[in-house]
Amino acid sequence: QVQFVESGGGLVQTGGSLRLSCAASERTFSSYTMGWFRQAPGKEREFVAGILWNSGATSYRDSVKGRFTISRDNAKNTVYLQMNSLKPEDTAVYYCSQSKPGIFYIATVTSAYEYWGQGTQVTVSS
């Protein structure tokens, strides 16, 4: 079973930047998409950004467009999330996950993903 380890979270001030990393223990070629999600206290887990392993095509939730950038390094089985111009509302635990077999697009719902990492906390102070 593939495992994901997220890192790079921390405490930053409004307007600051962080770069999250998601390292996979192996590459499961039946999976087509990697996604970043986040969950704030008392809220449901929500889609942040996704990337197709092969083409590198990306998708973002509206509130992070222009501020966040998802990328991948296929050789390292690692996906990144560069977060700039951070806002207090970005505060959450950030998770990465891979799409289930047969999902050949960037899905935005958690039910389309499997094998979640432990998450990394991002806190943006005002």
Side-chain angles (χ1 to χ4, degrees):
Q1 176 176 321
V2 65
Q3 294 181 330
F4 299 106
V5 178
E6 300 98 336
S7 61
L11 172 64
V12 295
Q13 293 184 333
T14 297
S17 299
L18 286 172
R19 188 192 193 208
L20 306 184
S21 298
C22 170
S25 60
E26 62 185 83
R27 169 73 198 280
T28 54
F29 290 92
S30 59
S31 175
Y32 206 65
T33 304
M34 285 297 297
W36 280 100
F37 287 74
R38 66 187 180 188
Q39 188 166 18
K43 295 187 177 181
E44 294 188 351
R45 193 168 298 187
E46 63 182 18
F47 173 81
V48 176
I51 188 167
L52 300 180
W53 271 117
N54 291 341
S55 69
T58 60
S59 179
Y60 301 89
R61 70 179 298 107
D62 287 345
S63 62
V64 308
K65 286 181 180 177
R67 301 189 296 122
F68 291 10
T69 303
I70 187 172
S71 61
R72 90 275 192 232
D73 184 330
N74 289 14
K76 295 182 179 179
N77 291 338
T78 300
V79 176
Y80 305 97
L81 186 67
Q82 178 67 43
M83 306 187 296
N84 299 328
S85 301
L86 283 162
K87 304 175 180 180
E89 51 264 43
D90 295 317
T91 295
V93 178
Y94 284 70
Y95 301 89
C96 65
S97 183
Q98 68 176 24
S99 60
K100 294 178 179 178
I103 304 294
F104 299 112
Y105 56 94
I106 301 177
T108 60
V109 295
T110 57
S111 59
Y113 291 81
E114 61 182 4
Y115 305 132
W116 298 85
Q118 84 289 346
T120 185
Q121 176 71 47
V122 171
T123 303
V124 185
S125 62
S126 56

